[in-house]
Amino acid sequence: MRLATTAAELPERPRDGTRAVVMTMGALHEGHLTLVRRAREIGTQVIVTIFVNPLQFNDPGDLDRYPRTLEADCALLEAEGVDVVFAPSVDEMYPGGDPVVTVSAGAIGDVFEGEHRPGHFDGVLTVVLKLLHLTSPDVAIFGAKDAQQVIAVRTMVRDLAVPVRIEAVPTVRDPDGLALSSRNVHLGSDDRESALSLSRALAAAEAAARNGASAADVIRSGLDVLTSAARASAGLAVDYFSALDPRTAHEVAADHRGEAVIAVAATVGGTRLIDNTTVLIEPEGPPS
């Protein structure tokens, strides 16, 4: 496995075969490795990028606290058969400071995660587009846990005609249902129990959808779980629990019929977590 820290050190594209890239900020866990294994299945050459992107952090303290474990990450990736790890410095990615020209996420960047983290998706898309240019993959693999990010990336690739296929891999969870995240290391035992209310709320919404509930009732089912959990724990603060249009990331109407992404975000003991699931909403009876 090769470690590249500059764009000049990246290898040439394979003449025959497929180059797959997985973009990460490091502090790798089983969720990331699942993406890498999928990339290994479809790519003859696999590149994993590790870059903690300052443009997508609203809080400088959050940026400083983000774990940086390059040596351990490289050991994990070598065991997975990764060909190249691209771990550029901030100066390599943004020579001369913050870029003058950036990508705007548009309306997708103003709702849900974008509303709570202004400018976040502009920063995400700017670094994703730059990494796509630098690594020139045939396919880029992302985790479905960051549903709004996947929607934003797919929209950017479509609108800017970037020649890459975007593939989303299902969320990886611990046995208790908690979605894997690098931020989970900050959860104490009591916080973790509170954090489980996110996946339980999503499970309640899934069950309601399977039973023919309307979009409004699907959301109400999940909110009931979160409301009960918030009463039991002062350390749980819910930002949103909503049904999103899988193409635009905007909230669907109460009478929506069809696929929807049920997304949740909450702060648990000072740690902000997100999760989601996709459901098919087909209420019983004719549309109102």
Side-chain angles (χ1 to χ4, degrees):
M1 186 183 76
R2 181 190 306 184
L3 173 62
T5 58
T6 68
E9 295 172 321
L10 288 170
E12 295 183 0
R13 287 170 51 86
R15 293 184 179 180
D16 299 308
T18 300
R19 173 180 279 186
V21 67
V22 177
M23 299 180 190
T24 82
M25 293 203 300
L28 303 184
H29 51 65
E30 187 63 24
H32 297 110
L33 298 182
T34 299
L35 306 184
V36 171
R37 290 169 194 144
R38 176 56 183 157
R40 184 76 282 170
E41 289 175 356
I42 62 179
T44 52
Q45 184 185 77
V46 175
I47 297 177
V48 175
T49 70
I50 297 177
F51 180 65
V52 182
N53 177 33
L55 297 188
Q56 67 193 69
F57 285 82
N58 306 93
D59 179 0
D62 196 20
L63 173 62
D64 292 339
R65 287 191 300 271
Y66 199 88
R68 288 146 170 97
T69 56
L70 180 60
E71 185 175 349
D73 293 342
C74 286
L76 290 172
L77 295 173
E78 186 165 25
E80 294 294 339
V82 169
D83 298 291
V84 181
V85 172
F86 181 43
S89 66
V90 173
D91 287 340
E92 174 69 14
M93 288 296 291
Y94 305 125
D98 288 351
V100 175
V101 177
T102 60
V103 179
S104 169
I108 288 176
D110 295 332
V111 295
F112 298 105
E113 280 304 285
E115 181 181 359
H116 288 273
R117 304 172 69 184
H120 171 72
F121 285 110
D122 293 352
V124 168
L125 294 184
T126 297
V127 77
V128 167
L129 183 60
K130 188 158 190 176
L131 287 170
L132 288 174
H133 285 315
L134 292 174
T135 60
S136 300
D138 299 288
V139 59
I141 313 293
F142 291 86
K145 184 176 81 70
D146 296 301
Q148 192 172 345
Q149 174 177 283
V150 172
I151 294 170
V153 169
R154 282 179 166 156
T155 302
M156 177 186 71
V157 165
R158 181 197 67 211
D159 288 354
L160 301 184
V162 183
V164 64
R165 177 168 63 88
I166 303 300
E167 180 170 327
V169 173
T171 301
V172 180
R173 301 181 181 278
D174 276 332
D176 59 8
L178 186 66
L180 296 189
S181 168
S182 300
R183 298 175 184 269
N184 290 355
V185 297
H186 301 302
L187 297 172
S189 57
D190 290 343
D191 292 336
R192 187 177 180 92
E193 181 61 30
S194 296
L196 292 175
S197 63
L198 276 68
S199 57
R200 290 167 181 162
L202 293 174
E206 289 175 334
R210 285 195 301 271
N211 290 332
S214 67
D217 286 338
V218 166
I219 294 303
R220 190 174 297 113
S221 297
L223 281 175
D224 287 345
V225 174
L226 291 172
T227 300
S228 177
R231 289 197 191 104
S233 172
L236 173 64
V238 179
D239 286 340
Y240 58 79
F241 186 87
S242 301
L244 283 58
D245 186 307
R247 298 162 299 176
T248 68
H250 282 66
E251 188 171 23
V252 304
D255 61 352
H256 173 81
R257 302 177 76 94
E259 193 174 83
V261 176
I262 311 300
V264 60
T267 299
V268 183
T271 300
R272 193 167 188 278
L273 303 174
I274 62 172
D275 202 350
N276 73 86
T277 189
T278 299
V279 300
L280 184 63
I281 299 176
E282 293 181 312
E284 296 177 351
S288 56

